[in-house]
Amino acid sequence: MRPFSYEAPTDLATAVARASVSANAHVNSPIQYKGGGTTLIDLMKLDVMRPEVLVDITGLRDEAMHRIDHSAGELRIGSLVSMAALHEDESTVRDYPLLTESLWQGASQQLRNMARLGGNVLQRTRCSYFRDPSFEQCNKRVPGSGCAALDGANRGHAILGTSEHCIALYAGDWAPALIALDARVEVLGRSGLRTLEFKDLHRLPGTTPHIETNLVPGELITAIIVPGGPRRRSLYRKIRDRQSYQFANASAAVALELDGDVVRDVRIGLGGVATIPWRAHKAEQALRSQRLDEASATAAADAEFMDATTRKGNLYKVSLGKATLVRSLLEAKAMEVA
């Protein structure tokens, strides 16, 4: 048991000021925010994360952080809204099926009841070597130590956005949906409130895989904003080893706008295949202004996975990722929308 202190401020400014004391600009900061704790507490039990101070934010008296707001131009989701609460919100289910489908396919009902959406997008990348401190080689856990997964057990690892320093997978389901919809995040830090494009929240591993986001010490996500109004012709498809409580081997978040059979606009996020939530820009570019059918969808998938870097265990993810994307595009096309 490693000792740590626990604080539960009720004032937002107090929480941010307390967490901002840390000088470390990465996720292994000695001061950590705790929301639902479904990732943090797990990693503490594994002795992977060793915070000295937990700042529990679930009791903050900031109504906007606990609320879902719909307007004509955007959807605003407070960061302390639970996964379950958003999934059960009727307006979101109707107008943004992509968001709610990705939520119910993630985790278990018990975890969805506890996990908060601001913390969900910050869940740590998945790798058995990262999660087991008995393995010395993990650049994410011990910078500069190497990456045991490169030549080890890597069936569940990433094939897009990798580097020679890390191939760990970003396994979240909701983030690919958010990146597909050009979401933004509001963050509050000691320098005040700022807005960050969701695509700029996560960092590719590069040479510093231990630095996973572009948040600075003490910054707290207060809200997630999805612009552009309803996206009813949208869906999330997840392929995994078992039906529930399993990370994706490949997933696709798709939002379509069609003019007959011709793609007027398309937005695609991929999961289960990359080191960060992955926006499929190459596939989108290949599809715009084209007639959507199996041939054009296949060509788009080929373009997106052209630069995949595979290892012995995860080679299958290329064909699976392509097939998942093609299926998702054709199913989105076939949707009946009001």
Side-chain angles (χ1 to χ4, degrees):
M1 178 67 182
R2 296 184 182 275
F4 61 90
S5 62
Y6 173 85
E7 302 174 13
T10 56
D11 176 76
L12 179 56
T14 300
V16 170
R18 182 67 181 96
S20 298
V21 172
S22 172
N24 293 325
H26 58 75
V27 291
N28 291 318
S29 168
I31 303 177
Q32 293 285 331
Y33 289 118
K34 177 197 164 295
T38 56
T39 291
L40 176 62
I41 303 304
D42 183 29
L43 292 176
M44 289 174 65
K45 290 178 178 179
L46 293 172
D47 205 30
V48 173
M49 295 185 70
R50 304 170 182 177
E52 298 171 8
V53 180
L54 294 186
V55 180
D56 190 333
I57 58 174
T58 53
L60 292 179
R61 292 196 294 261
D62 187 293
E63 288 188 17
M65 293 180 69
H66 298 266
R67 194 171 62 224
I68 304 166
D69 292 317
H70 295 266
S71 68
E74 65 183 25
L75 168 66
R76 187 183 190 280
I77 307 160
S79 62
L80 290 178
V81 173
S82 70
M83 292 175 68
L86 185 64
H87 171 247
E88 294 164 4
D89 182 71
E90 293 182 359
S91 295
T92 308
V93 171
R94 180 190 66 236
D95 294 339
Y96 301 90
L98 169 57
L99 295 181
T100 54
E101 286 178 3
S102 64
L103 287 173
W104 75 257
Q105 294 186 61
S108 64
Q109 184 61 49
Q110 294 91 334
L111 289 174
R112 292 193 293 269
N113 289 339
M114 288 297 297
R116 311 307 166 102
L117 292 171
N120 176 277
V121 298
L122 298 177
Q123 60 185 290
R124 303 295 300 273
T125 46
R126 292 304 195 272
C127 173
S128 56
Y129 299 103
F130 167 70
R131 295 173 66 85
D132 187 347
S134 67
F135 289 99
E136 296 181 359
Q137 286 187 304
C138 176
N139 287 320
K140 188 176 292 294
R141 184 166 27 83
V142 185
S145 62
C147 177
L150 294 177
D151 299 310
N154 46 40
R155 179 179 182 271
H157 287 67
I159 59 174
L160 297 174
T162 62
S163 76
E164 287 299 310
H165 299 272
C166 185
I167 59 173
L169 179 75
Y170 182 91
D173 292 295
W174 199 47
L178 292 175
I179 202 168
L181 296 180
D182 289 325
R184 307 187 303 272
V185 289
E186 285 183 359
V187 297
L188 181 65
R190 54 185 163 191
S191 298
L193 189 68
R194 69 179 177 123
T195 301
L196 190 65
E197 297 293 328
F198 191 80
K199 66 181 177 61
D200 297 324
L201 177 61
H202 297 89
R203 292 168 54 118
L204 290 168
T207 60
T208 55
H210 61 290
I211 306 177
E212 295 178 0
T213 75
N214 286 311
L215 298 178
V216 301
E219 279 193 321
L220 175 65
I221 295 177
T222 57
I224 297 167
I225 301 166
V226 179
R231 298 282 182 178
R232 294 180 182 174
R233 190 184 294 277
S234 66
L235 52 77
Y236 179 76
R237 292 294 177 261
K238 179 178 182 179
I239 308 302
R240 45 189 164 173
D241 289 338
R242 60 176 181 240
Q243 183 61 31
S244 64
Y245 198 48
Q246 182 75 27
F247 299 125
N249 294 323
S251 66
V254 171
L256 271 178
E257 292 182 26
L258 297 175
D259 184 3
D261 287 343
V262 176
V263 178
R264 186 169 58 192
D265 191 23
V266 59
R267 297 157 185 269
I268 303 168
L270 298 179
V273 292
T275 56
I276 59 174
W278 193 261
R279 182 69 180 266
H281 289 295
K282 293 178 181 177
E284 292 175 358
Q285 184 176 1
L287 285 166
R288 288 193 179 98
S289 300
Q290 301 297 312
R291 183 175 180 272
L292 180 55
D293 54 23
E294 186 168 356
S296 61
T298 299
D302 287 342
E304 192 60 47
F305 284 88
M306 182 179 299
D307 297 327
T309 300
T310 61
R311 300 282 166 175
K312 182 178 179 180
N314 62 11
L315 178 62
Y316 75 98
K317 287 197 173 191
V318 175
S319 57
L320 182 64
K322 290 180 182 181
T324 302
L325 178 52
V326 171
R327 170 188 168 187
S328 302
L329 287 166
L330 297 179
E331 287 187 3
K333 176 186 176 182
M335 290 179 69
E336 295 184 5
V337 295

